């Protein structure tokens, strides 16, 4: 990831199982539009893989090694976190926007094509 913050989220739940700690993060539509299952998300500077996404939240799991090397395990439900979404979605969105000015035959002729 690039090291900037796109927005914030709130930890909704923290659940432990035999192999991981699961975090459910509530986020706004402006963030969730770029969050996809099996894609990347950065939470407080920690790049993680998205396990699932809903209309209002997403979930990630933290393996023991990552938990030991970061500060995320100190966070609890209700705590805010900084979020950075994967830049690929932003590139795709930008490339899908219409060009300005639109490409026309007369414009091409004007420039010698």
């Amino acid at each position: 990831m690039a090291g900037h913050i796109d927005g914030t989220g709130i930890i909704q739940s923290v659940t432990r199982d035999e192999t991981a700690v699961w975090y459910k993060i509530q986020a706004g539509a402006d963030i969730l539009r770029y969050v996809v299952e099996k894609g990347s998300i950065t939470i407080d500077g920690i790049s993680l893989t998205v396990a699932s996404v809903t209309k209002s939240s997403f979930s990630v799991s933290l393996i023991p090694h990552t938990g030991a090397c970061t500060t995320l395990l100190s966070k609890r439900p209700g705590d805010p976190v900084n979020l950075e979404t994967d830049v690929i979605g932003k590139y795709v969105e930008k490339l899908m926007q219409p060009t300005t000015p639109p490409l026309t035959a007369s414009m091409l002729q004007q420039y010698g094509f």
Side-chain angles (χ1 to χ4, degrees):
M1 299 295 195
H4 66 276
I5 298 169
D6 292 315
T8 59
I10 302 293
I11 298 176
Q12 285 188 312
S13 65
V14 180
T15 309
R16 294 178 184 268
D17 67 19
E18 298 100 34
T19 60
V21 180
W22 292 86
Y23 287 81
K24 184 176 181 181
I25 310 289
Q26 179 183 358
D30 57 326
I31 296 292
L32 290 171
R33 70 184 291 152
Y34 301 112
V35 179
V36 297
E37 190 172 311
K38 297 188 175 137
S40 297
I41 185 83
T42 299
I43 303 172
D44 283 353
I46 306 157
S47 182
L48 298 167
T49 301
V50 177
S52 64
V53 183
T54 71
K55 290 183 180 183
S56 62
S57 66
F58 65 91
S59 296
V60 297
S61 68
L62 197 65
I63 62 172
H65 176 76
T66 303
C69 295
T70 65
T71 60
L72 196 53
L73 289 177
S74 68
K75 301 281 187 164
R76 301 288 173 244
D79 286 349
V81 289
N82 293 320
L83 302 173
E84 179 187 348
T85 59
D86 194 335
V87 72
I88 292 172
K90 297 171 199 168
Y91 281 121
V92 170
E93 182 179 69
K94 182 172 181 163
L95 292 170
M96 295 301 295
Q97 294 175 359
T99 60
T100 305
L103 187 61
T104 63
S106 62
M107 181 181 175
L108 289 171
Q109 285 177 339
Q110 178 183 348
Y111 290 99
F113 292 96

